[in-house]
Amino acid sequence: MKKVFVIGGMKCGTSSVHHLLKKHFQVCVTTDKEPSFFTKRFKKGFDWYKNQFQPQPGNDVLIDVSPSYSMRHLYPNCTQEMHRYEPNAKIIYLVRDPFARIISHIHHDMLRGRLTTKDIDNWIKEDADCLLTTKYFYQIKPYMDLYGKENIKVLQFEELIKNPQTFQDKVYEFIGLENIPAEIKPFNVSEKRYQIKYYDFIHGIFGKSIISKGYHAIWYFINAKVEKPSLTEAQLKKIHELLQSDIQEFATAFQIDETLWKKWHSFS
């Protein structure tokens, strides 16, 4: 069977692509939307990972959608372990306007109780998770080295919003799927999100157990919302300075249409 890894980036439309692909009759996606085997669950072993796929007759492509696979600053061995396991895979890497991605990342961490708006100034620094995750060339470089650029497809989240049909066509063509009609729309998980305090602490102890699910249910009924933050001009300028070199190298390597990144393009 063919193997495809959708490696991220985080907050760049991986949920939409997961929902798009799981409807296709040739595809088997993992039972868990983000198995994150080569990053967070490698110790579970390969038998556990293989059991995440339950292919049906007619399925000839296995899909693993895990945004953490493009967080090499947190998981430096991910690409090497992945290539050792599946050296002939294809890679899909989703990206979006760097400013928009960072704002969504910050909002995600605010919902998890990891920071508040008062922390943002101190959080915007060269080694910050939100910035390193947005260094797209830095993240994709190990995949280029091991899998070859010809086996990597970079897609912009903005293409999904602007022209979903064209976006789907590019995904199907790259994977080699029959291009069947489908209902396509961005699947925005964030719209359903609510604050969950002490998220990391609870999951660190109980994982995805029934205790964690019960804890989620409590916060679901509390339904505390957190507004998406707005960054100041000074904060945006600092982010641009820290990312500019990497983004330029990435855009050149993969012929990225930076005009689709309106916030980022206004600084260029």
Side-chain angles (χ1 to χ4, degrees):
M1 281 190 173
K2 297 179 185 177
K3 187 68 174 290
V4 179
F5 294 105
V6 182
I7 64 170
M10 177 185 172
K11 319 308 286 182
C12 293
T14 54
S15 293
S16 297
V17 170
H18 179 268
H19 281 262
L20 180 157
L21 288 169
K22 76 176 184 179
K23 297 177 182 178
H24 200 287
F25 69 91
Q26 291 177 269
V27 165
C28 171
V29 299
T30 52
T31 53
D32 188 336
K33 184 250 168 182
E34 296 180 12
S36 303
F37 174 67
F38 295 97
T39 50
K40 303 175 183 179
R41 301 190 178 109
F42 196 66
K43 291 182 179 179
K44 286 182 176 287
F46 290 106
D47 286 341
W48 177 88
Y49 183 56
K50 289 174 183 177
N51 287 333
Q52 298 308 298
F53 298 94
Q54 301 293 329
Q56 302 300 313
N59 294 163
D60 56 13
V61 182
L62 303 179
I63 307 282
D64 176 347
V65 181
S66 296
S68 64
Y69 294 167
S70 56
M71 295 180 179
R72 64 180 284 203
H73 54 292
L74 299 179
Y75 309 103
N77 298 322
C78 170
T79 314
Q80 289 81 359
E81 296 294 352
M82 186 187 298
H83 185 262
R84 191 176 292 118
Y85 177 75
E86 188 57 77
N88 299 312
K90 287 182 175 290
I91 309 297
I92 294 177
Y93 185 36
L94 305 172
V95 296
R96 71 188 290 189
D97 184 310
F99 288 144
R101 202 217 70 79
I102 286 171
I103 290 170
S104 282
H105 192 146
I106 291 172
H107 186 225
H108 175 83
D109 281 358
M110 291 172 70
L111 287 168
R112 295 293 183 257
R114 295 168 187 154
L115 77 160
T116 67
T117 51
K118 295 178 181 179
D119 304 317
I120 293 175
D121 254 341
N122 293 328
W123 211 56
I124 299 174
K125 52 188 179 180
E126 195 167 4
D127 62 348
D129 180 36
C130 66
L131 266 70
L132 289 172
T133 303
T134 321
K135 285 192 171 183
Y136 298 141
F137 191 79
Y138 165 77
Q139 296 295 348
I140 200 63
K141 185 64 166 61
Y143 293 95
M144 294 170 65
D145 293 341
L146 291 175
Y147 285 99
K149 190 177 171 183
E150 68 278 6
N151 291 310
I152 299 172
K153 185 69 174 178
V154 172
L155 294 167
Q156 292 174 261
F157 174 75
E158 291 77 11
E159 292 182 277
L160 173 63
I161 304 300
K162 183 179 179 181
N163 195 330
Q165 184 64 55
T166 300
F167 182 92
Q168 177 188 276
D169 292 347
K170 289 180 178 180
V171 173
Y172 285 1
E173 181 182 7
F174 177 68
I175 297 175
L177 299 176
E178 183 177 330
N179 201 351
I180 59 174
E183 180 185 351
I184 317 159
K185 62 181 180 179
F187 185 84
N188 188 356
V189 177
S190 297
E191 290 178 354
K192 301 178 180 180
R193 285 189 173 154
Y194 44 89
Q195 187 179 48
I196 306 174
K197 290 185 178 180
Y198 314 114
Y199 176 92
D200 293 334
F201 176 75
I202 295 297
H203 277 257
I205 297 175
F206 301 109
K208 291 190 173 184
S209 68
I210 192 170
I211 295 175
S212 294
K213 291 177 181 178
Y215 186 74
H216 277 231
I218 293 170
W219 285 99
Y220 174 81
F221 286 109
I222 294 173
N223 199 29
K225 301 295 184 183
V226 177
E227 291 297 319
K228 188 172 284 192
S230 296
L231 300 183
T232 67
E233 193 76 8
Q235 289 169 337
L236 293 172
K237 184 178 179 180
K238 184 177 179 182
I239 290 169
H240 189 270
E241 289 173 353
L242 291 170
L243 294 182
Q244 186 175 18
S245 176
D246 178 274
I247 296 298
Q248 184 56 56
E249 193 169 10
F250 177 77
T252 301
F254 289 95
Q255 299 181 323
I256 296 299
D257 183 0
E258 289 187 76
T259 62
L260 292 177
W261 293 348
K262 294 181 180 179
K263 292 180 181 179
W264 181 262
H265 191 62
S266 66
F267 271 75
S268 303

